[in-house]
Amino acid sequence: MQGPDVVWYLVVAALLFSIGTAGVLLRRSPLIVLLSLEIMLNSANLALISFARHHGNHDGQIFALAVMAVAASEVVVGLGLIVAIARRRLDLDVDRLRMLRG
Amino acid sequence: MIAGAWLCLLAPLAGALTITLLGQASSRRTAAWISTVSVFTAFGGAVAAFIGLLGQGHEEREVVTSAWTWLATPNFQVDLSLLVDPLSVTMMLIVSGVGGLIVLYSIGYMDGDPEERRYFAYMSLFVFSMLLLVQAGNFLLLLAGWGLVGLASYLLIGFWHERAEAVAAAKKAFVMNAFGDATMALAFFVLIWQTGTLDFQASFEGAGGLSQTAVNLVALGLLGGAVAKSAQIPLHTWLPDAMEGPTPVSALIHAATMVTAGVYLIVRAHPIFELAPSISDLAAGLGAITLLVAGLVALVQTDIKRVIAYSTMSQIGYMFLGAGLGAYGNSMFHLMTHAFFKALLFLAAGLVIHHLANEQDIRRMGGLRRVLPRTYIAFLVGSLALVGIPPLSGFFSKDSILASALASGGYGQILFVAGLVGTLLTGLYTFRLFFIVFLGEPSPLVAEHSSGHAGGHGHGEGPWTMTVPVAALTVLAVIGGWVQIAGVWHPFGEWLDPIAVGREHLALVEPSVVQDYVTSALAVGLGLLGMLIAWTLYGARTRPVPRNAALQETLEHKLWFDELYDLVFYRPAVLLTRGFRRGVEQPLIGGSISGVTLGTRGTAGAVGDAQTGYLRSYALVIALGVAVLVVVFITVQ
Amino acid sequence: MTTALIILPLAAALVVWLLPLPGRAVGSLALLAALAEVALWAVAVGGFDFERGLQLQDRQSWFSDLGVSYHVGFYGFSLFLAGLTVVVCTIAIAYAVWAGGDRGRAYHGLLLFLMGAIVGVFTAQDLLVFYAFFEAMLIPIYVLIGVWGGPRRLRATATFVIYTMAGSLLMLASIVVFGLSQDTFSLVDSGVSSNDWVFLGFLVAFAVKAPIFPFHGWLVDAYRESPPEVAAILSGVVSKAAVYGLLRIVIAKFPEPVEQYQAAIIAFATVGLIYASVLAFRAPDIRSVTAYSSMAQMGLIVIGLFSLNELGISGAIVQSVAHGLVSAILFLLAGMVEARTGTSAFVALGGMARGRPVLATLLMTTGIIALAVPGSVAFAGEFLILAGIYGVGWGWAAVGAAAIVLAAMYMLRLISAVLHTPRGIDALEDTPDVRRYELAILVPLVALLLVLSAWPASISERAFPLIADGQETEAAP
Amino acid sequence: MIPTPKVDWLALAPTLALLGASGTALLGSVLVPWWMRRVFTAFVAFAGFITAGVFAAVVFDESADGRSLIAESFTRDRLGALAALIVAGAGALTVLVSWGENRRDHVGEYYALLAAAGAGMVFFVTASNLMTLFLGLEWFSIALYVLCAMDTHREESLESGLKYLIVGAFGSAVLLFGSALVYGATGEIGFSEIAAAGAGDDVLLLAGLAMLIAGLGFKASAAPFHMWTPDVYQGAPTSVTAFMSAATKVAALVLTLRLLVVGFPDQEHLWTVAIAVIAIVSLAVGNLAALVQRDVKRLLAYSSVSHAGFMLIAVAANNELGGRALLYYLIPYGAMSIGSFAVVAARERELQAPVTLENLGGLGWERPFLGAAMWVFMLGFMGMPLTGGLIGKFYVFSAAYEAGWWWLIVAGVIATAISLYYYLGIVRALYVRPAAALEPAVAGGSPPLDPLLHTAVFLSVGVTIGSFFFVQPLIDVARDAAASLPF
Amino acid sequence: MGDFLVWVVWFLAAAGCLGSGLAVVTFTNPFFSALALIGNLGSLAVLFLLASAEFLAAAQVLVYAGAVMVMFLFVIAYLGDRSKGIAGGPSWVRVGAVVAASALLVEIVVVIGMAAGDRLSDPADIQRSFGSPEEIGRLFLTDHLLAFEITSIVLLVAAVGGVVLGSRSRAEDELEEAEAARAGA
């Protein structure tokens, strides 16, 4: 089964990575920022997996699997934090969180 | 002999220290007596040294004694050493002898001043310093004494420190002398680097091998010091102002001893001056100019002490003239007699001032002859000696200098003429003063002080402590010149011989007897002429005093020297200070600090502002950082 | 021995800080420790052979991979600088006891610490040890000025510390480069270097410390805002760290660059000398005059050092000691005057001599020694310095000699403005004279000056041999 | 039957000790009665750190020759052991500092997470492939995210947690993508295998390297990846800040050194310059921004940025001396960091308010010990004598010189000069400012003396000063540790 | 033929992946964004499959789309409608964001392009079992044992963190009581 070679995958990964980056940098809702981070991590996963296929070794796949778990962990903590913030009746807007600056 | 020398040096120092350390523990009188005794002890030491030296043959009359090494580096050494030779012993005798008399006089003069202790401590310090100067066995120690006498002079001129003029005068004296110190120091540097030593003998010997430029530099430096210390033009302006000090101070420091140190220096360093004839001529020329200028300025002064001060300048001018021409013995001779009669004049003037409760303006004086008859006589003797009327001391010494000038070739003869003119001026200004102060009817001021206080509380002609020294000096002023009579006997010259004339290889001025007599006739004649004019104008008042506004003003302003120095040195210095402060210190030094501070703070503020608190901007900076890093890495590889 | 000299004050400082003693006892303890230090120094002098180089050494490897060791010891000249340190610091502590400020434990402890650090500087034979002590001096000074100083102390301390630290950090860079290129940081084992940049790093550090024009921006504020005894130490002793550094490091280790930059350095020092003298002449208060005069004197000392002949260098050492004592006395006197009148500004002073003979005598004596009246120890120093620099160029000597005249002008102005002329508004009739205890503080210093004036050779002929074999400077004629 | 690999338990012992402590504390937070929960969990955590430290010491002693284990998952060598030791020490001190916080909620979880974070770092410094690197990083990061946000009643804490989390996750994502690129270029994830793959100047590898540097720079708070640092340090509970400032830096810097030296020797010409530039930017930004701070925690945060710059100079030197310098520097730096934040914590508890330069006023006189200690720490940060800070800077400069980077020395010098101003500002606040304007502590006077915190401060002072006097033993250790890397 | 089908599927998946990714970033409502992310993850799983990562594709669907996204949606539902637009913040952040994102894109694409003709041109031969659960599982128990264990620890830590942050604390209660009291007064 021959499909597109690794370069195609990588281009998709690159596009996803920048989409994710743009999301993190542009969105004010912490929820969407978290989602964008997931996209970034997944783009890396895509790259890892395609490289694993390209090199024919499993390290990339294992790595990607670990990344999934890590991504899940980040989400858990992130959501917990968002819940905590929401519980304090604070605006869910990363731009409003700027008591600390200067 | 050596012990005598050390005793002579240290007794006054001990006196000064004792008075200082005792402080309030001693009464004011005690302090005065401690000082007097210490100075007379010094005189005793000097006499002992004198006798000791007399007992030696001519060639052995040069003894150096060292206490310890004063300053040393591995290859350069200066000892704390005294030189006892006829020249220094002469000076020791003059300094301690005249000094003792004047300190004794001060007991009466300063009686009642609240800070008498300080006065006497300073006086002792001065005598010590002056003795250090004349006994020093090397140039550096001489410079030490040189500086210390300047210091003592400063302290004593400014003794009445509440008076702004006195303080200013003291500072002026010190600073001008510091200038002289500096030029001397430069001369010593040349000696150190060229000869490796500052000992008199060794450096004189070493100086023989130096280039003419080097010798000239050394001589010039020494001359700078001498000129400053002896108030010769152009560094003379401090001396008249120094009259702000108590009168005995003027007598001791600014007439008898310290101001003549310049002459002593030239005589002491004569081997160097002989190697630098042009500088010697310069010294003689400066002396001549000074004696004329001072004589002229003295004509218009109205302060009794200032008149005498200018006369001092003038007389030292003679000594410079003589020393510059190589007549060292004659200069020293005049130095000695001048010490007697000038001290006498000052002390007599002090009696007058003391009597008139510190009034010094001669325009308010007159007719003191009747009030102070003994003072009158003393003053008259002093004045006659100053003018050089035989057989008083000044006659012999001044004429010997003029005769030497006459014998010194063309340049000497020009100076000879100047000296003669000076004699005329001397007669004129001396007796102008004398006639105004003592003759005529008592002025209101004099009358007031004579009637009300006669025999009252120690005014009159003063207590014995004051009159005895005056009497002694009167006698000395009369007989002081008899130790050397041209063509008859020369014990003084022979005494100084090993120093002044003992070196065969040096040509020395030795006037013939004829020249001596011609000079005497001319000088006495001119002196008498001066006195006659003075009589006409001020004594008998048969003629009005001729006036020339411009000349008068010029003389009253002392030829504008003060103004010139103000313009050339003081004002630029002030401007420089202001320029430094406003142009460098504040804008550059201070400004650079504030500038850097402000700049850093500004940048820091900007960096702080970049930390906006927007979470997204933090991520953005990371993203940009990564982007830049990647670009750099893949392009540079 | 040397280590004991360093440790004693430091240990005393610790004791003073840690023991909860009452105020009086603290002062006495500190003073006692300081006196013991003086005694220890005297013992060190007794055991010192002035004919030889480095002695009383203590050496202990500190970290070997870079060749750094704790190495201290004395040369003849550093022994004198250390003596100056212990004497002035002891007197400063005595003064502090007299002045009796608040928080005595901290204060006395800091003074003792400072003392130990300065002694350390003068004995260091390893570059890093030197740097450590050099910087350690700053720590107590910062607090001493910052906490107990005058109203503008904050600015003064910030400027002072940052200025000097900037200089010494450059020195640290130079030390690193020098030490690594030599494979050792020992001043004894290392050879010479001809690296201009390294040389300049050291030079700038010491130029700031001295200070030499134009690195003197910290000077006046620091001296004016310090407590008097701290100003005394600062100008009298701390500035001498620059002398030690210049002599022990710059001149000894960088013969080539020194020769190359000699004229420039002398020129800067000379400019500073004249510049500071001129500014001192119009400065408005005792402390400013003393501050600028210190700067002028340091300029002179640097001139002496960079004459690179034995006359100039001996003179610099003599002058270092003389100036250390003189400026210490002047600052302490300024402090006493301030304690009486609340000011040291000339406009408010004057006429203090009348009825206050002791004060007058002390100030007068110190002042005239400060202006190097011939015959004084300061004169001896200046004479040697100028004689030394004359060998380099007569023009320098002439300018230096002119500075003597300027010194006379500003010092006499100071004396008159305080003691003479009509009474100032703050110099009241009943302002007391110097009292017995104060006298006991000042007299030792003044007496020392007088003794040294009678015998300056005690220092000048013992300042050599300077540095270890083969590194002596060229001899005079 | 799958043959399980042989596990070197000793090498893992420090990590396992802390993990065990974390687990025990976690259990304790549920099972132990509330009144002794704090005592129990704190003790367990403390014991865990101490045990980890002891194990690390043993590992250090027994690992003269480093070797990588389990298919190059991690390495047993002295570098890792020493770093683990420092982290463990920092953690133990942090426990002491934390005690007095009187945390009422989640106290057990707090200590559990602290131990877990410590475990993550202790593991992280031994990581030797990109995957364990990433995992270790996330391990302690996630624990730290939670710790930062743990004071859920304080908005600052929440804000700092969220900022740390999002920016941190972003940074991890970058690092991850970089790892992927490196993997793509070489087909390997082990550091030494990457080097051995000989990818040379492959652009994929270079781009990946750039991203890895950015990601690690983020953790080390090196500018320009530092911007989270001040906000997070300021908002987080102070004891957590103390831990982060010391331990995270140790972990991140040591691993940066390991990764770059082991994994990218062929790209040395690129990354040394990059690290050098980052170091300079960190020095500049950290010091300048610190100048204008009023909040002491924030100020110290910027100061930690600048110190990251200093230590990166040692990394940039890329020589054995640099490794030594870094490892030495970390010891006094860690102590000073924890110590200074501990003092801030003490003041904070006393005032019940954030500590600013203003309300630090007079601390030096009111609390002589804390004041003197803070003074020592500031001197250490400045690099003044009597503290290891001086020796640290000295070594860093030496390393830079040996690498030929004289301009890094100059930059360091200028930066230090600037830093004086704010460090002295703190000293000035301690001693110079009058305490008159000070708001008194809450009613009832000052809180009781906190012996544990004082002990921590005392130990920090001891390390700070001791590292000045006893350089030789420390530098021997650092040299042995640095010798693990193939310079 | 098989290849063509693979290409079609690949393109569809890639397009879906990118489109849903864009949707995640552009939707204002987090709920829709989350849904879009599920699509994104799903299409990624297809790509994984095409890249011979069967086990991962499965895991992706199960773990991610299944577990994580459910949690996401749950939280979003709990928080209610909190739509936030793209706009806001300083404009330089927005401009910078676009610049940075596109710069990274361009760079990575360029890098890939440069590498394409070089290292990435020649894929390795793989066996059929490549990416199978057996292979992955074996590696997880041998070479990558440690990674496996650590993954679990990370998850555990995160779980604890989630609990800690998600639950109310006493301090918060007191704060709210105080606020309420103040509001009441």
Side-chain angles (χ1 to χ4, degrees), chain B residues 68-70 72-75 115 140 143-144 147 151 154 161-162 167 171 174 189-190 192-193 577 580 584-585 589 593, chain C residues 216-217 275 278 282 292 310 314 353-354 368 374-375 379 386-387 390-391 412 416 420-421 453-457 460-461:
Chain B
W68 62 75
T69 300
W70 192 69
T73 67
N75 295 308
E115 298 199 60
L140 194 59
L143 182 57
L151 167 67
Y154 160 79
H161 51 65
E162 277 97 347
V167 174
K171 284 197 272 191
F174 196 95
F189 300 154
V190 182
I192 291 176
W193 281 90
T577 314
F580 277 170
V584 181
E585 188 76 356
I589 306 296
I593 296 173
Chain C
H216 64 280
Y275 178 84
V278 168
R282 301 285 285 181
Y292 280 119
E310 61 166 52
S314 306
R354 167 70 75 224
I368 58 184
F379 167 77
L386 294 179
Y390 180 90
L412 292 182
S416 317
H420 304 153
T421 64
S453 296
W455 191 28
S460 69
E461 68 183 355

Side-chain angles (χ1 to χ4, degrees), chain E residues 8-20:
Chain E
V8 170
V9 173
W10 189 89
F11 266 107
L12 286 176
C17 179
L18 294 175
S20 59

Side-chain angles (χ1 to χ4, degrees), chain D residues 91-146:
Chain D
L93 290 178
T94 307
V95 173
L96 295 180
V97 174
S98 307
W99 171 260
E101 233 164 17
N102 277 330
R103 181 176 297 282
R104 285 174 305 173
D105 307 304
H106 309 305
V107 62
E109 288 90 338
Y110 172 84
Y111 288 110
L113 285 169
L114 198 61
M121 291 172 188
V122 167
F123 174 77
F124 179 66
V125 293
T126 65
S128 56
N129 72 32
L130 293 173
M131 193 189 337
T132 42
L133 183 156
F134 179 75
L135 286 171
L137 186 83
E138 287 298 324
W139 177 356
F140 73 78
S141 295
I142 285 174
L144 287 176
Y145 300 152
V146 180

Side-chain angles (χ1 to χ4, degrees), chain B residues 64-191:
Chain B
V64 179
T65 157
S66 296
W68 62 75
T69 300
W70 192 69
L71 188 59
T73 67
N75 295 308
F76 168 72
Q77 182 173 341
V78 174
D79 287 348
L80 186 61
S81 58
L82 301 189
L83 169 63
V84 184
D85 70 352
L87 180 59
S88 66
V89 169
T90 309
M91 289 301 291
M92 283 155 66
L93 287 169
I94 297 171
V95 170
S96 57
V98 176
L101 291 174
I102 294 173
V103 174
L104 179 63
Y105 175 93
S106 303
I107 297 179
Y109 191 86
M110 295 305 289
D111 189 13
D113 190 289
E115 298 199 60
E116 240 178 299
R117 292 186 200 89
R118 189 160 63 85
Y119 174 84
F120 283 103
Y122 288 169
M123 281 303 249
S124 291
L125 173 67
F126 170 77
V127 175
F128 159 73
S129 315
M130 191 66 207
L131 288 169
L132 180 64
L133 194 165
V134 300
Q135 291 184 268
N138 56 54
F139 276 116
L140 194 59
L141 217 53
L142 182 143
L143 182 57
W146 197 266
L148 288 176
V149 290
L151 167 67
S153 159
Y154 160 79
L155 294 170
L156 284 163
I157 294 170
F159 178 73
W160 285 313
H161 51 65
E162 277 97 347
R163 282 174 29 198
E165 306 83 32
V167 174
K171 284 197 272 191
K172 186 173 177 183
F174 196 95
V175 170
M176 293 195 102
N177 274 296
F179 181 81
D181 298 349
T183 65
M184 279 174 77
L186 287 172
F188 297 167
F189 300 154
V190 182
L191 280 178

Side-chain angles (χ1 to χ4, degrees), chain A residues 3-50:
Chain A
D5 69 5
V6 63
V7 175
W8 293 90
Y9 286 94
L10 286 179
V11 170
V12 174
L15 280 165
L16 269 183
F17 189 77
S18 16
I19 289 171
T21 304
V24 173
L25 299 182
L26 284 170
R27 297 307 305 256
R28 296 191 308 183
S29 162
L31 285 163
I32 296 184
V33 171
L34 271 183
L35 294 173
S36 305
L37 283 169
E38 293 302 312
I39 294 181
M40 290 179 76
L41 291 176
N42 275 300
S43 78
N45 272 355
L46 181 57
L48 282 170
I49 285 166
S50 52

